[in-house]
Amino acid sequence: NYPLTKNCLEFYRQYKDKYECERGRTKHGALANILLCLEKAVEDDQKVSGKCQAEMFDLRQQLMDDYSINPEIVAKCDVEIESHCRNGEEKGGKTIDC
């Protein structure tokens, strides 16, 4: 997700140690972990740009709409999804069924 990385990586690097953020072991796991980390920072009134917050919102919506799965599950189960689900994350709630 280039827009998220472009607009948010600076903030993730700034807050990852403070909030003990994990990195994720797959592409989707990494994105979900970045999202969760920055959501913690925003909840804690830390500075995160409006562009980054817009990308965070878009990513959360995409995960929920496309995969019927929340970022918390992707962040903690990325390797299991990748190895046990035929095509990784699938649309229509199939990832949860898997």
Side-chain angles (χ1 to χ4, degrees):
N1 187 311
Y2 177 75
L4 180 84
T5 305
K6 177 184 172 200
N7 292 300
C8 298
L9 194 58
E10 165 192 346
F11 299 103
Y12 173 75
R13 287 182 179 147
Q14 184 177 346
Y15 300 124
K16 66 182 176 139
D17 293 333
K18 179 176 183 172
Y19 294 104
E20 299 176 358
C21 302
E22 297 179 27
R23 179 68 180 116
R25 295 168 287 188
T26 67
K27 176 185 164 188
H28 287 108
L31 290 172
N33 277 298
I34 290 170
L35 174 64
L36 295 173
C37 183
L38 292 175
E39 285 179 342
K40 288 177 190 175
V42 169
E43 288 173 15
D44 206 20
D45 292 325
Q46 299 296 322
K47 181 184 177 219
V48 175
S49 74
K51 285 184 179 182
C52 177
Q53 289 187 45
E55 293 303 331
M56 291 165 54
F57 178 81
D58 288 348
L59 178 61
R60 180 172 279 279
Q61 285 300 117
Q62 178 185 352
L63 288 170
M64 295 298 292
D65 292 346
D66 288 354
Y67 303 106
S68 299
I69 190 169
N70 67 40
E72 290 82 3
I73 293 173
V74 176
K76 296 295 182 189
C77 302
D78 59 334
V79 171
E80 291 81 0
I81 291 169
E82 189 83 13
S83 63
H84 296 294
C85 299
R86 182 176 40 150
N87 298 315
E89 293 177 0
E90 295 184 65
K91 294 184 177 187
K94 292 179 183 172
T95 303
I96 293 292
D97 291 341
C98 169

